[in-house]
Amino acid sequence: MSEIASAKTGQDRRMLLIVSVLTVCFFAVSNLPWNLDDYDQAKQAFVSFQMIGQQRWLYQTTPDEGTKASGGRHSPHHINSKPPAVAWVSAALYQLTHSWDFAWRFPSFAAALALAVLVFRGARTFGDLPALYALAAFGLNLLSVRLATLEKILTRTSWTTRDRVALFAVLTAAMFVKGPIVWAFVLPPLVLYQLLRNWRPDFPNAWSGCVPWMASFALFCLWVIFGIRFIDGFYEDVILNEFGARFHEGIHRSQPLLFYIPHLLQKFAPWSLLIIGLLVVALRKTKAATGKWLGNLSPEMFWLITWALGGIVVMSLIPSKRVDRVFPAIPPLCLLLAAQIEVFMADNVIRARRIAEFAIIFAAIFTGAYAAMRVADGYRDHRDALVKFGGEVRRIATAEHLRYEILPGRDESLLLYLQRPRFYTRITEPTAAPPGLDALVVPLDEEPWRSGKFPYRVTVEKKSEHPSSYGFLTLPRR
């Protein structure tokens, strides 16, 4: 028996090593992109650029500062609507490394790895094999802080002052990363769990008290109040357009109520299907035994179910939706899978191991094929075209001592590739160039720059859902 157990332990370690290596590789491909064009990456990177270059540490603008407001998304001031915590990290990394490429790309990669470690450690409470499931589910899917509360439920211990201070720090960090929307993934399941304790008095208390929550919210409110009071455009851009407009159709694109469900089923496969399958098995088993499935749930299982589903339900009720906004539901889904596997192993360990091996192999192939396809598409569509263009323009400008500016275009990230603080808005034609300006980067899909009359030094065409093209034009000497 000892030899069999040793063999299984060695097999689990090899599987853990394989899953860990694949997770790091896939995270590197997904979180260290060639460009900063996806979602809000360009805006977040630009904020840190402003912090270092212009010392704007608390309130920043978008890359469109100085241009006219359009589409109702911003006031003429173009105040950045995101809290500054992520940009603080990038700014600190730049001060240490003096590399913007590293400072902009590394935080998301490091955060993904740190979260993978936390998910694995949290799932170890259910056993080694369930923890392996949880890590594989987190790392091997197409997507890729309430662990303290889960720990309190599992250990049946009360909250100490040290625990509350740690919770306050985590909540404050979350507030300054995403704002009060993080409460959608925190409070609803916690309130539901506490209400269920009236029916199930054996459930331990999960409430930490009001102080950590109110203190973190108070700090965030100070940032908001000072912004409204002292920053022109903050109320319009942050309060009305960024926050308030999420709850009605108009500025932000509205999606159907069940928008997130099919996306999670597809992007979290095969783990989403395995969670549903194990749930069906548990329902059939308990119904045959007692017919009271909820009454047999353990406190930690109920907490994980409410944690995983609570945020999805709340976010689904908000009209403005985007796939990445429901990503915080992934870690609790991984832990829920680990808890389900622990229950399943009680009946059939061998079958659980076989399912684990099959699911991990399938997920590795599925996710690996998707990552390879993304890389191949990137090479074929030249996703790094703007990056190379920016590098070539900076090389020419440095070699020939040219002073250049960038005219407003579709791609906000162009400012970062060319390391300029804002678009240039005081020129419409080359003949109107002011003294002291030697060259321009212009959008070739706009007049008069697409007329073919100008001798561009370098041009680039970006192929994407919203294609664009730019040229580097040397201005005539006065």
Side-chain angles (χ1 to χ4, degrees), residues 168 172 210-220:
F168 161 74
T172 301
C210 295
V211 174
W213 303 84
M214 293 299 101
S216 63
F217 186 65
L219 285 179
F220 182 79

Side-chain angles (χ1 to χ4, degrees), residues 389 441-452 454 456 458-461 468-473:
F389 174 76
V441 174
V442 301
L444 296 182
D445 48 0
E446 297 181 11
E447 291 291 352
W449 315 109
R450 64 180 176 185
S451 63
F454 306 108
Y456 295 108
V458 184
T459 61
V460 66
E461 181 181 358
S468 56
S469 56
Y470 299 90
F472 182 53
L473 175 67

Side-chain angles (χ1 to χ4, degrees), residues 86-279:
V86 175
W88 287 338
V89 175
S90 293
L93 286 175
Y94 177 78
Q95 295 283 41
L96 294 174
T97 64
H98 297 286
S99 170
W100 278 123
D101 286 335
F102 180 82
W104 287 331
R105 292 164 171 82
F106 183 73
S108 59
F109 176 64
L113 292 182
L115 191 53
V117 172
L118 289 175
V119 167
F120 179 74
R121 290 182 59 184
R124 287 290 295 272
T125 57
F126 303 111
D128 291 340
L129 186 61
L132 177 60
Y133 263 100
L135 178 62
F138 184 78
L140 305 180
N141 64 75
L142 304 188
L143 293 172
S144 300
V145 199
R146 282 163 288 174
L147 290 175
T149 303
L150 175 61
E151 179 186 357
K152 294 302 175 185
I153 294 173
L154 287 169
T155 58
R156 270 68 170 176
T157 56
S158 58
W159 289 83
T160 65
T161 301
R162 181 179 179 182
D163 296 331
R164 292 187 176 93
V165 171
L167 179 62
F168 161 74
V170 172
L171 288 173
T172 301
M175 280 285 185
F176 280 91
V177 170
K178 294 299 293 182
I181 197 65
V182 298
W183 280 22
F185 293 93
V186 178
L187 280 182
L190 186 56
V191 170
L192 184 59
Y193 175 89
Q194 291 297 107
L195 290 176
L196 188 67
R197 292 183 68 240
N198 296 327
W199 178 46
R200 292 285 302 274
D202 57 310
F203 277 24
N205 184 22
W207 180 241
S208 62
C210 295
V211 174
W213 303 84
M214 293 299 101
S216 63
F217 186 65
L219 285 179
F220 182 79
C221 285
L222 283 178
W223 179 76
V224 172
I225 291 171
F226 276 91
I228 294 174
R229 177 65 179 84
F230 298 107
I231 305 298
D232 292 335
F234 186 92
Y235 179 75
E236 293 84 357
D237 290 342
V238 179
I239 305 301
L240 295 183
N241 292 343
E242 176 65 19
F243 183 74
R246 302 285 182 191
F247 298 91
H248 60 80
E249 298 183 6
I251 295 176
H252 300 282
R253 182 181 178 184
S254 298
Q255 298 289 352
L257 179 65
L258 301 180
F259 173 79
Y260 291 123
I261 303 302
H263 282 284
L264 279 174
L265 288 175
Q266 181 253 331
K267 295 182 181 299
F268 196 50
W271 313 108
S272 56
L273 303 178
L274 185 56
I275 288 174
I276 295 173
L278 292 175
L279 179 60

Side-chain angles (χ1 to χ4, degrees), residues 186-446:
V186 178
L187 280 182
L190 186 56
V191 170
L192 184 59
Y193 175 89
Q194 291 297 107
L195 290 176
L196 188 67
R197 292 183 68 240
N198 296 327
W199 178 46
R200 292 285 302 274
D202 57 310
F203 277 24
N205 184 22
W207 180 241
S208 62
C210 295
V211 174
W213 303 84
M214 293 299 101
S216 63
F217 186 65
L219 285 179
F220 182 79
C221 285
L222 283 178
W223 179 76
V224 172
I225 291 171
F226 276 91
I228 294 174
R229 177 65 179 84
F230 298 107
I231 305 298
D232 292 335
F234 186 92
Y235 179 75
E236 293 84 357
D237 290 342
V238 179
I239 305 301
L240 295 183
N241 292 343
E242 176 65 19
F243 183 74
R246 302 285 182 191
F247 298 91
H248 60 80
E249 298 183 6
I251 295 176
H252 300 282
R253 182 181 178 184
S254 298
Q255 298 289 352
L257 179 65
L258 301 180
F259 173 79
Y260 291 123
I261 303 302
H263 282 284
L264 279 174
L265 288 175
Q266 181 253 331
K267 295 182 181 299
F268 196 50
W271 313 108
S272 56
L273 303 178
L274 185 56
I275 288 174
I276 295 173
L278 292 175
L279 179 60
V280 171
V281 171
L283 284 172
R284 294 183 62 182
K285 179 181 176 181
T286 53
K287 182 178 180 180
T290 63
K292 296 181 179 180
W293 180 70
L294 284 176
N296 292 338
L297 276 182
S298 64
E300 54 270 21
M301 182 69 81
F302 181 79
W303 167 244
L304 289 171
I305 291 174
T306 56
W307 179 5
L309 298 182
I312 298 174
V313 171
V314 173
M315 294 300 292
S316 296
L317 296 176
I318 299 175
S320 174
K321 299 178 180 68
R322 200 173 68 188
V323 176
D324 62 313
R325 291 184 184 134
V326 80
F327 285 5
I330 296 303
L333 285 173
C334 297
L335 293 174
L336 176 60
L337 176 61
Q340 289 179 295
I341 293 298
E342 182 193 33
V343 175
F344 188 73
M345 286 176 60
D347 295 331
N348 196 325
V349 177
I350 296 177
R351 188 178 180 186
R353 289 183 179 277
R354 289 176 179 174
I355 293 176
E357 293 173 358
F358 174 80
I360 290 173
I361 292 173
F362 178 84
I365 295 174
F366 187 54
T367 308
Y370 176 79
M373 182 183 65
R374 289 292 302 273
V375 172
D377 288 344
Y379 275 109
R380 185 179 63 252
D381 297 336
H382 302 287
R383 287 181 59 198
D384 59 342
L386 293 183
V387 178
K388 292 181 177 179
F389 174 76
E392 181 64 12
V393 169
R394 286 188 283 115
R395 186 193 66 78
I396 295 174
T398 301
E400 301 181 15
H401 305 287
L402 300 177
R403 289 161 294 184
Y404 67 92
E405 295 291 348
I406 310 170
L407 295 190
R410 187 190 301 271
D411 299 279
E412 299 172 330
S413 57
L414 199 59
L415 287 177
L416 302 174
Y417 303 143
L418 292 166
Q419 297 186 6
R420 282 292 182 267
R422 61 180 60 88
F423 289 112
Y424 193 72
T425 59
R426 292 180 291 171
I427 183 173
T428 56
E429 296 186 23
T431 55
L437 192 61
D438 302 313
L440 283 174
V441 174
V442 301
L444 296 182
D445 48 0
E446 297 181 11

